[in-house]
Short mmCIF file of all heavy atoms in Angstrom, two decimals:
data_model
loop_
_atom_site.label_atom_id
_atom_site.label_comp_id
_atom_site.label_asym_id
_atom_site.label_seq_id
_atom_site.Cartn_x
_atom_site.Cartn_y
_atom_site.Cartn_z
N SER A 51 14.66 -7.37 24.50
CA SER A 51 14.79 -8.36 25.56
C SER A 51 15.23 -9.67 24.95
O SER A 51 14.50 -10.27 24.16
CB SER A 51 13.48 -8.52 26.32
OG SER A 51 13.62 -9.51 27.32
N VAL A 52 16.43 -10.13 25.28
CA VAL A 52 16.97 -11.31 24.67
C VAL A 52 16.90 -12.51 25.60
O VAL A 52 16.81 -12.36 26.83
CB VAL A 52 18.44 -11.11 24.23
CG1 VAL A 52 18.55 -10.05 23.17
CG2 VAL A 52 19.31 -10.77 25.41
N ASP A 53 16.89 -13.70 25.02
CA ASP A 53 16.86 -14.94 25.78
C ASP A 53 18.14 -15.06 26.58
O ASP A 53 19.24 -14.84 26.07
CB ASP A 53 16.77 -16.10 24.79
CG ASP A 53 16.38 -17.42 25.48
OD1 ASP A 53 16.68 -17.58 26.68
OD2 ASP A 53 15.77 -18.30 24.83
N GLU A 54 18.01 -15.38 27.90
CA GLU A 54 19.21 -15.52 28.73
C GLU A 54 20.10 -16.66 28.25
O GLU A 54 21.31 -16.62 28.41
CB GLU A 54 18.80 -15.76 30.20
CG GLU A 54 18.22 -14.52 30.86
CD GLU A 54 18.01 -14.71 32.35
OE1 GLU A 54 18.49 -15.75 32.88
OE2 GLU A 54 17.40 -13.87 32.97
N LYS A 55 19.49 -17.68 27.64
CA LYS A 55 20.29 -18.77 27.07
C LYS A 55 20.74 -18.33 25.68
O LYS A 55 19.97 -18.14 24.80
CB LYS A 55 19.44 -20.05 26.96
CG LYS A 55 20.20 -21.23 26.37
CD LYS A 55 19.29 -22.48 26.23
CE LYS A 55 20.02 -23.60 25.58
NZ LYS A 55 19.15 -24.80 25.35
N ARG A 56 22.06 -18.17 25.54
CA ARG A 56 22.62 -17.64 24.30
C ARG A 56 22.87 -18.71 23.27
O ARG A 56 22.56 -18.53 22.08
CB ARG A 56 23.91 -16.86 24.61
CG ARG A 56 24.64 -16.39 23.34
CD ARG A 56 23.83 -15.35 22.60
NE ARG A 56 24.43 -14.96 21.35
CZ ARG A 56 24.16 -15.52 20.18
NH1 ARG A 56 23.27 -16.49 20.09
NH2 ARG A 56 24.71 -15.09 19.07
N LEU A 57 23.46 -19.83 23.66
CA LEU A 57 23.91 -20.83 22.70
C LEU A 57 23.12 -22.13 22.82
O LEU A 57 22.68 -22.53 23.88
CB LEU A 57 25.40 -21.17 22.90
CG LEU A 57 26.38 -20.03 22.69
CD1 LEU A 57 27.80 -20.51 23.03
CD2 LEU A 57 26.33 -19.52 21.27
N PHE A 58 22.96 -22.82 21.67
CA PHE A 58 22.41 -24.13 21.67
C PHE A 58 23.49 -25.10 22.23
O PHE A 58 24.67 -24.92 22.02
CB PHE A 58 22.01 -24.55 20.27
CG PHE A 58 20.84 -23.78 19.71
CD1 PHE A 58 21.05 -22.78 18.78
CD2 PHE A 58 19.55 -24.04 20.16
CE1 PHE A 58 19.98 -22.05 18.28
CE2 PHE A 58 18.47 -23.32 19.66
CZ PHE A 58 18.68 -22.33 18.71
N THR A 59 23.04 -26.14 22.92
CA THR A 59 23.95 -27.11 23.51
C THR A 59 24.16 -28.30 22.57
O THR A 59 23.48 -28.44 21.56
CB THR A 59 23.40 -27.64 24.83
OG1 THR A 59 22.18 -28.35 24.57
CG2 THR A 59 23.10 -26.47 25.79
N ILE A 60 25.09 -29.16 22.95
CA ILE A 60 25.35 -30.39 22.18
C ILE A 60 24.07 -31.24 22.19
O ILE A 60 23.71 -31.88 21.19
CB ILE A 60 26.52 -31.16 22.75
CG1 ILE A 60 27.82 -30.37 22.54
CG2 ILE A 60 26.67 -32.55 22.14
CD1 ILE A 60 29.05 -30.96 23.20
N ASP A 61 23.40 -31.28 23.34
CA ASP A 61 22.15 -32.06 23.44
C ASP A 61 21.09 -31.46 22.50
O ASP A 61 20.30 -32.20 21.88
CB ASP A 61 21.64 -32.09 24.87
CG ASP A 61 22.50 -32.94 25.77
OD1 ASP A 61 23.20 -33.83 25.23
OD2 ASP A 61 22.49 -32.74 26.99
N ASP A 62 21.02 -30.14 22.39
CA ASP A 62 20.09 -29.50 21.47
C ASP A 62 20.37 -29.95 20.04
O ASP A 62 19.45 -30.27 19.29
CB ASP A 62 20.20 -27.97 21.54
CG ASP A 62 19.70 -27.40 22.84
OD1 ASP A 62 18.81 -28.05 23.46
OD2 ASP A 62 20.14 -26.31 23.23
N LYS A 63 21.65 -30.01 19.67
CA LYS A 63 22.02 -30.41 18.31
C LYS A 63 21.64 -31.88 18.05
O LYS A 63 21.13 -32.21 16.98
CB LYS A 63 23.52 -30.19 18.08
CG LYS A 63 23.94 -30.48 16.63
CD LYS A 63 25.42 -30.14 16.41
CE LYS A 63 25.81 -30.40 14.96
NZ LYS A 63 27.22 -30.10 14.69
N ARG A 64 21.89 -32.73 19.03
CA ARG A 64 21.53 -34.14 18.88
C ARG A 64 20.03 -34.29 18.65
O ARG A 64 19.59 -35.06 17.80
CB ARG A 64 21.93 -34.95 20.12
CG ARG A 64 23.43 -35.13 20.31
CD ARG A 64 23.71 -36.23 21.31
NE ARG A 64 25.12 -36.29 21.65
CZ ARG A 64 25.67 -35.84 22.74
NH1 ARG A 64 24.91 -35.29 23.67
NH2 ARG A 64 26.97 -35.96 22.96
N GLU A 65 19.24 -33.53 19.41
CA GLU A 65 17.79 -33.61 19.28
C GLU A 65 17.33 -33.09 17.92
O GLU A 65 16.45 -33.69 17.29
CB GLU A 65 17.12 -32.82 20.41
CG GLU A 65 15.61 -33.08 20.50
CD GLU A 65 15.01 -32.49 21.79
OE1 GLU A 65 15.79 -32.17 22.71
OE2 GLU A 65 13.78 -32.33 21.81
N LEU A 66 17.93 -31.99 17.44
CA LEU A 66 17.55 -31.43 16.15
C LEU A 66 17.95 -32.40 15.03
O LEU A 66 17.20 -32.58 14.07
CB LEU A 66 18.22 -30.07 15.94
CG LEU A 66 17.81 -29.32 14.67
CD1 LEU A 66 16.31 -29.08 14.62
CD2 LEU A 66 18.56 -28.00 14.56
N LEU A 67 19.10 -33.02 15.14
CA LEU A 67 19.52 -34.03 14.14
C LEU A 67 18.56 -35.20 14.12
O LEU A 67 18.23 -35.71 13.04
CB LEU A 67 20.96 -34.53 14.46
CG LEU A 67 22.08 -33.52 14.17
CD1 LEU A 67 23.40 -34.00 14.82
CD2 LEU A 67 22.30 -33.33 12.67
N ALA A 68 18.12 -35.61 15.31
CA ALA A 68 17.19 -36.74 15.37
C ALA A 68 15.86 -36.40 14.67
O ALA A 68 15.18 -37.29 14.13
CB ALA A 68 16.93 -37.11 16.83
N GLN A 69 15.52 -35.12 14.66
CA GLN A 69 14.27 -34.69 14.04
C GLN A 69 14.43 -34.40 12.55
O GLN A 69 13.46 -34.18 11.84
CB GLN A 69 13.74 -33.39 14.71
CG GLN A 69 13.38 -33.57 16.18
CD GLN A 69 12.98 -32.26 16.82
OE1 GLN A 69 12.88 -31.23 16.16
NE2 GLN A 69 12.82 -32.29 18.14
N SER A 70 15.68 -34.42 12.06
CA SER A 70 15.95 -34.03 10.67
C SER A 70 16.14 -35.25 9.77
O SER A 70 16.60 -36.31 10.22
CB SER A 70 17.24 -33.19 10.62
OG SER A 70 17.13 -32.05 11.46
N GLN A 71 15.82 -35.08 8.52
CA GLN A 71 15.98 -36.15 7.54
C GLN A 71 17.44 -36.34 7.22
O GLN A 71 18.19 -35.35 7.09
CB GLN A 71 15.20 -35.82 6.26
CG GLN A 71 15.30 -36.88 5.18
CD GLN A 71 14.57 -36.47 3.91
OE1 GLN A 71 13.98 -35.38 3.84
NE2 GLN A 71 14.63 -37.30 2.90
N SER A 72 17.88 -37.58 7.06
CA SER A 72 19.27 -37.86 6.72
C SER A 72 19.35 -38.78 5.51
O SER A 72 18.44 -39.56 5.26
CB SER A 72 20.03 -38.46 7.90
OG SER A 72 19.52 -39.74 8.20
N GLU A 73 20.46 -38.69 4.79
CA GLU A 73 20.73 -39.57 3.64
C GLU A 73 22.18 -40.01 3.72
O GLU A 73 23.09 -39.19 3.70
CB GLU A 73 20.48 -38.85 2.32
CG GLU A 73 19.03 -38.60 2.02
CD GLU A 73 18.82 -38.09 0.60
OE1 GLU A 73 19.80 -38.05 -0.18
OE2 GLU A 73 17.69 -37.67 0.28
N ASN A 74 22.37 -41.30 3.87
CA ASN A 74 23.72 -41.86 3.95
C ASN A 74 24.54 -41.24 5.06
O ASN A 74 25.73 -40.96 4.90
CB ASN A 74 24.44 -41.76 2.64
CG ASN A 74 23.72 -42.47 1.50
OD1 ASN A 74 23.23 -43.59 1.69
ND2 ASN A 74 23.65 -41.84 0.34
#
């Protein structure tokens, strides 16, 4: 049984980036 939502969205990526450590 798979998730009906197949792909991550642009908003999902923005949120994950905001939670991730960055350097320069």
Side-chain angles (χ1 to χ4, degrees):
S51 177
V52 296
D53 194 333
E54 288 188 9
K55 180 182 177 184
R56 174 65 186 94
L57 296 177
F58 292 104
T59 65
I60 293 174
D61 289 336
D62 290 334
K63 185 175 181 180
R64 289 196 189 104
E65 191 170 343
L66 185 59
L67 287 167
Q69 296 174 8
S70 303
Q71 181 183 358
S72 65
E73 288 188 8
N74 301 317

